[in-house]
Amino acid sequence: MSEDDNFIQEKPFSVEIAKQGRAVCKKCRQKCVQGDLRIAKLIPNPCGSGKMKTWHHVSCIFEMFLKQRQTTKRIEGSHDVEGWELLSNDDKADILKKIKECNKAFEVKLQNKLSKKSKSSNNKGKPQLSFISLNEDSVSVSSDTNIKDGSHKDNCFREFRMIVANVSNVNGSNEKISIFHDIFAKGSDGTGFKGDVMLWCKLLLPAVIKRVFHLQTKQLIKLFSKIFHVTEESIMEHLDQSDVGQTIQYFFEQSKKCKPQKKSTLTIYEVDDFLETLTNLPKEDDQLQHFKAFMKKCTANDLKVVIRLIKHDLRMNAGAKHVFEGLHPDAYQIFKTCRDIKTVINTCWEGPPKKEKTEIGLNEKRKSIPNYFDNIKLYLEDGVPERHAEWVRYFIAYGGTVLKPSEHEQATHVLHLKDTISEPTIKCVSSARHVIVEWIKDTVAKESLQDYRPYTVRWKPSYKG
Ligand SMILES: [Zn+2]
């Protein structure tokens, strides 16, 4: 099989009868039994070239679709699925029925959302805003208003703010990481994190997923001088002693015209929706209305942190390294190779913990990444570390050990640049297997350790010179 067959697929999903029964379903973590139908979602492979398959049971993938957002890719027809033609008529009928039910569910969801949005906008008499927020459904990655998710404490903006405050209050890097680890492992109530981990990471790293607002500090000051009925000069004067978030918080607390809420009820979804819509509002009048409506639900502290999100700086002296190392021991390594939060979470995050567990320790969490390369000690031929740096990191993430040059005698495998060698690698013991990088790529793509033999380097001595 060539590399192209493994990594390049046109369609976003793929279906087949499981040949071996070794792949694990990404949703329920049970094996996809040999002979059963299984469906893969194709995701960007963490090293940036092409796609890789994540397998699911048929019923599991459709359950997953129902929980995801409107804008996340799902199977909407047989045209989305590679391998469709090879299915039996019974299997086709079964899957088509599931597609139909799923499409129906999303249609109902969308209609509820649209009627809710246009109603609330009509009440305020702002047809222009209503047009923009309706559009948002098809363009942006804004959340659906899933009440169950939103009402969980782990999705409260107040929880988010408290974590940010705790992180900014400690100095050491490890202390910051351990605060993130605690929330992602235990959640706010100690029984396991049940929030939207993707959205948490997105909001914790406003400088990584950078939204563009049509609002510099100068415009913010002008806007809030109008909202609070104070002069721009008085805001500027206060700003000399603090950051713009804190200054606006101060004026919100003092304001008679526009009073802050006493108790925070915002969810992270509402904050995300607010910010996403704000990116679509270049005009000051629209921005003003948008802020005024939103501030009715805000405490002064809420607004401070929202302003800091707009400024892409939560002022907690922590970035991707701290957040991801708190999430999972391998997450930051993977982030460095792909720079994509979604891929990191798809690879590292197992989802909410099982009910019977009260606490998930670091070691238990680690098991969620399979150790395909357990007990494999890899010696790298000259040039390999530079040429295949990303795949070597992936090898390590999946449990392998890379030897230092001086440890060559321990090698179980040797990784070569080319599939043919003309000189023996005398440094390594004769039992070591000599393989090419495709062995690692295929193991990752097929989610099981591949037999080394098809990937063995050929020995072709050259007698010239
Ligand atoms: Zn499953």
Side-chain angles (χ1 to χ4, degrees), residues 12 25 84 106 187 209 296 331 383 388:
C25 170
W84 180 260
F106 270 94
I209 297 191
K296 284 178 186 156
H388 297 304

Side-chain angles (χ1 to χ4, degrees), residues 25 27-30 56-57 60:
C25 170
K27 182 170 183 289
C28 69
R29 317 297 304 175
Q30 305 296 311
H56 298 78
H57 297 112
C60 283

Side-chain angles (χ1 to χ4, degrees), residues 212-250:
V212 180
F213 302 101
H214 310 270
L215 279 167
Q216 301 301 320
T217 301
K218 218 180 125 186
Q219 277 100 37
L220 277 172
I221 291 173
K222 194 173 164 208
L223 213 62
F224 281 99
S225 79
K226 288 184 178 174
I227 292 174
F228 297 135
H229 298 271
V230 293
T231 62
E232 287 179 43
E233 288 73 28
S234 60
I235 297 181
M236 295 285 279
E237 200 176 308
H238 187 277
L239 188 57
D240 281 345
Q241 307 143 35
S242 67
D243 78 288
V244 62
Q246 221 169 354
T247 293
I248 288 168
Q249 176 191 23
Y250 169 82

Side-chain angles (χ1 to χ4, degrees), residues 169-351:
N169 284 338
V170 297
N171 287 322
S173 194
N174 287 339
E175 286 167 282
K176 288 176 192 283
I177 291 169
S178 94
I179 292 173
F180 290 126
H181 173 256
D182 277 0
I183 182 71
F184 288 134
K186 298 172 192 165
S188 53
D189 60 3
T191 65
F193 185 73
K194 296 177 194 72
D196 185 330
V197 70
M198 189 84 78
L199 187 50
W200 265 75
C201 289
K202 182 179 168 187
L203 292 176
L204 283 172
L205 301 168
V208 172
I209 297 191
K210 220 166 183 172
R211 292 185 240 236
V212 180
F213 302 101
H214 310 270
L215 279 167
Q216 301 301 320
T217 301
K218 218 180 125 186
Q219 277 100 37
L220 277 172
I221 291 173
K222 194 173 164 208
L223 213 62
F224 281 99
S225 79
K226 288 184 178 174
I227 292 174
F228 297 135
H229 298 271
V230 293
T231 62
E232 287 179 43
E233 288 73 28
S234 60
I235 297 181
M236 295 285 279
E237 200 176 308
H238 187 277
L239 188 57
D240 281 345
Q241 307 143 35
S242 67
D243 78 288
V244 62
Q246 221 169 354
T247 293
I248 288 168
Q249 176 191 23
Y250 169 82
F251 283 95
F252 197 15
E253 281 164 347
Q254 306 299 313
S255 173
K256 301 256 153 49
K257 265 269 168 199
C258 165
K259 284 187 178 157
Q261 288 293 324
K262 291 212 172 73
K263 198 164 177 284
S264 179
T265 58
L266 278 178
T267 66
I268 56 173
Y269 292 106
E270 287 172 298
V271 172
D272 187 51
D273 276 343
F274 167 78
L275 294 173
E276 203 58 42
T277 304
L278 188 62
T279 61
N280 290 322
L281 301 176
K283 288 187 192 149
E284 194 187 88
D285 276 353
D286 295 337
Q287 293 169 346
L288 205 64
Q289 296 310 323
H290 190 50
F291 265 107
K292 278 184 177 171
F294 180 68
M295 283 165 65
K296 284 178 186 156
K297 286 183 273 180
C298 283
T299 66
N301 261 316
D302 287 338
L303 188 62
K304 173 182 76 182
V305 176
V306 167
I307 297 294
R308 287 177 176 173
L309 284 168
I310 292 170
K311 299 303 296 175
H312 303 121
D313 182 5
L314 288 167
R315 299 181 72 86
M316 59 178 180
N317 290 320
K321 182 175 157 55
H322 305 93
V323 172
F324 287 134
E325 289 200 346
L327 184 73
H328 189 284
D330 299 324
Y332 183 55
Q333 197 69 261
I334 295 170
F335 175 73
K336 277 200 292 186
T337 63
C338 65
R339 309 289 303 176
D340 178 47
I341 293 183
K342 232 181 216 174
T343 306
V344 173
I345 289 165
N346 283 340
T347 316
C348 298
W349 182 251
E350 205 180 1

Side-chain angles (χ1 to χ4, degrees), residues 54-71:
T54 57
W55 289 105
H56 298 78
H57 297 112
V58 175
S59 55
C60 283
I61 202 164
F62 280 94
E63 277 170 33
M64 188 183 81
F65 291 156
L66 289 175
K67 284 183 193 154
Q68 68 190 26
R69 295 176 184 191
Q70 188 79 37
T71 44

